[in-house]
Amino acid sequence: MDIIFYHPSFNSDYWINTLHKAMPHAHVRAWTAGDNAPADYALVWHPPVEMLKGRKLKGVFALGAGVDAILGQLSANPGMLADDIPLFRLEDTGMGSQMQEYAVSQVLHWFRRFDDYQVLKQQSRWQQLEEYAHGDFTVGILGAGVLGSKVAESLLPWGFPVRCWSRSRKSLPGIQSFAGPEELGDFLQGTRVLINLLPNTSETVGLINQSLLNQLAEHSYVMNLARGVHVVEADLLAALESGKVKGAMLDVFSREPLPADNPLWAHPRVAMTPHIAAFTRPNEAIEFISHTIGKLERGETVSGRVDRVRGY
Ligand SMILES: NC(=O)C1=CN([C@@H]2O[C@H](COP(=O)(O)OP(=O)(O)OC[C@H]3O[C@@H](n4cnc5c(N)ncnc54)[C@H](O)[C@@H]3O)[C@@H](O)[C@H]2O)C=CC1
Ligand SMILES: O=C(O)C(=O)CO
């Protein structure tokens, strides 16, 4: 079995050596331009079109959770990957716990008013502020998939009401599930902290706009852990200016790196991280990939297959 590997920044040697340990029978090589030798599987992240174009592969694994980039390449280069070649994505592989860390820490930061105390500190003011009540701090998660559901579960022990919105209804103990466009309004009403963990698709791009933000509770918070294109930045800035949104924590942006002249940089109630909410963990990813390839070779059913039409 031959596997080709491409990632613009990962340590190829580590990945190839670890893949060899997980799959001793496989020959894994780092793909380089001009390599047209046969392969059975490709492990890729933002691959050059020529790496996949015209290849007969048993499967392609995206080395991340979101597949919008590779699907975007596919739509721009139709011949890049034959329709009958399955595309897989990583499900959790160490990203779930990272998302939990990020979300819980930020929700608690806002709930305990550390953002307000930082402002008082800068004014050298010693002042105790009125505490928020858990009941007034409903957390609503857009996207209740692998990562969104883990984030939802991690917030429950802290006493917050937690709800989620997804394409289909979910059964997550203690978490109110809202499903489909017809229930988005009910999901938003009363949501104080909005956390985005949706995939970037034609249905979700630009979803977090003025209309959606206006439906949130007063003095709400927005945390974007998914993709920058989900947020209409001008609308978020307007909601911050009006006070409808009290604070934002953004890990992803419509352009990355974020251009220096973007007003989000200087906004006093916007905190930012440079797309670091959750990294692919090599060991967990290789375990997932090697198990999945093993199942594929045995003709067994597998999870993680991307629905190219649906977009995730
Ligand atoms: N900032 C970062 O470092 C990272 C960001 N991500 C982002 O997180 C996203 C989610 O990852 P997973 O949870 O693994 O994805 P997933 O595919 O397991 O879950 C997606 C969820 O979104 C819902 N959804 C999709 N389209 C919808 C629609 N039109 N209306 C309502 N609900 C819809 C689905 O029902 C599902 O619950 C990824 O697509 C990626 O963009 C993932 C990893 C790291
Ligand atoms: O896995 C993903 O989709 C990511 O955004 C990793 O950066």
Side-chain angles (χ1 to χ4, degrees):
M1 176 191 297
D2 288 291
I3 298 173
I4 48 177
F5 177 92
Y6 178 86
H7 192 291
S9 58
F10 282 0
N11 177 339
S12 298
D13 290 343
Y14 180 83
W15 275 77
I16 289 170
N17 293 335
T18 310
L19 279 160
H20 270 306
K21 288 175 189 162
M23 295 186 284
H25 56 285
H27 175 259
V28 188
R29 68 182 192 270
W31 180 87
T32 52
D35 173 352
N36 298 311
D40 297 292
Y41 295 94
L43 280 46
V44 300
W45 190 251
H46 298 175
V49 174
E50 65 166 300
M51 176 183 181
L52 301 175
K53 196 172 179 68
R55 280 190 180 276
K56 294 189 186 317
L57 293 162
K58 293 180 179 177
V60 176
F61 288 82
L63 296 171
V67 289
D68 46 335
I70 195 166
L71 291 181
Q73 280 184 295
L74 268 178
S75 62
N77 305 275
M80 177 174 151
L81 195 64
D83 290 343
D84 63 343
I85 298 176
L87 173 63
F88 300 94
R89 70 185 198 94
L90 299 183
E91 294 186 326
D92 192 339
T93 63
M95 290 184 271
S97 57
Q98 295 171 72
M99 284 296 187
Q100 290 177 329
E101 292 165 354
Y102 196 114
V104 168
S105 60
Q106 188 58 37
V107 169
L108 290 174
H109 181 86
W110 285 325
F111 177 69
R112 292 303 306 273
R113 305 192 68 171
F114 292 155
D115 51 344
D116 296 325
Y117 281 117
Q118 187 60 19
V119 171
L120 291 173
K121 182 255 183 190
Q122 286 158 358
Q123 299 165 358
S124 303
R125 288 169 56 191
W126 179 278
Q127 182 184 348
Q128 294 183 357
L129 299 171
E130 183 183 349
E131 289 185 285
Y132 289 148
H134 288 86
D136 296 335
F137 232 75
T138 295
V139 181
I141 299 157
L142 291 169
V146 169
L147 300 178
S149 58
K150 286 197 179 297
V151 165
E153 289 159 5
S154 67
L155 287 162
L156 280 179
W158 296 95
F160 302 110
V162 181
R163 58 178 60 171
C164 62
W165 181 68
S166 49
R167 184 187 294 277
S168 58
R169 198 160 315 282
K170 301 289 182 180
S171 175
L172 300 168
I175 295 157
Q176 194 177 4
S177 170
F178 295 81
E182 62 283 356
E183 294 185 6
L184 179 57
D186 290 341
F187 163 82
L188 293 168
Q189 189 173 10
T191 289
R192 183 77 179 275
V193 179
L194 184 71
I195 300 177
N196 178 35
L197 275 165
L198 288 166
N200 171 19
T201 71
S202 57
E203 292 180 353
T204 64
V205 65
L207 184 74
I208 303 174
N209 58 18
Q210 180 185 30
S211 167
L212 181 143
L213 295 168
N214 284 345
Q215 298 176 66
L216 294 171
E218 289 305 305
H219 313 307
S220 56
Y221 303 85
V222 174
M223 191 187 312
N224 191 10
L225 304 180
R227 289 292 187 261
V229 290
H230 288 127
V231 173
V232 178
E233 288 178 1
D235 291 0
L236 176 59
L237 285 165
L240 283 161
E241 286 315 302
S242 71
K244 176 68 177 183
V245 172
K246 186 167 181 290
M249 181 71 183
L250 308 174
D251 182 59
V252 287
F253 303 87
S254 48
R255 283 180 59 193
E256 296 180 5
L258 187 67
D261 63 352
N262 188 298
L264 290 170
W265 282 112
H267 200 290
R269 282 182 283 114
V270 173
M272 297 161 56
T273 47
H275 201 142
I276 53 86
F279 292 101
T280 298
R281 295 300 189 212
N283 293 343
E284 289 89 334
I286 287 165
E287 183 180 354
F288 176 85
I289 292 167
S290 59
H291 279 99
T292 302
I293 288 176
K295 288 180 177 177
L296 288 169
E297 292 291 305
R298 294 189 297 271
E300 297 171 8
T301 56
V302 297
S303 69
R305 181 162 181 173
V306 172
D307 180 324
R308 297 193 199 183
V309 174
R310 197 176 66 170
Y312 68 100

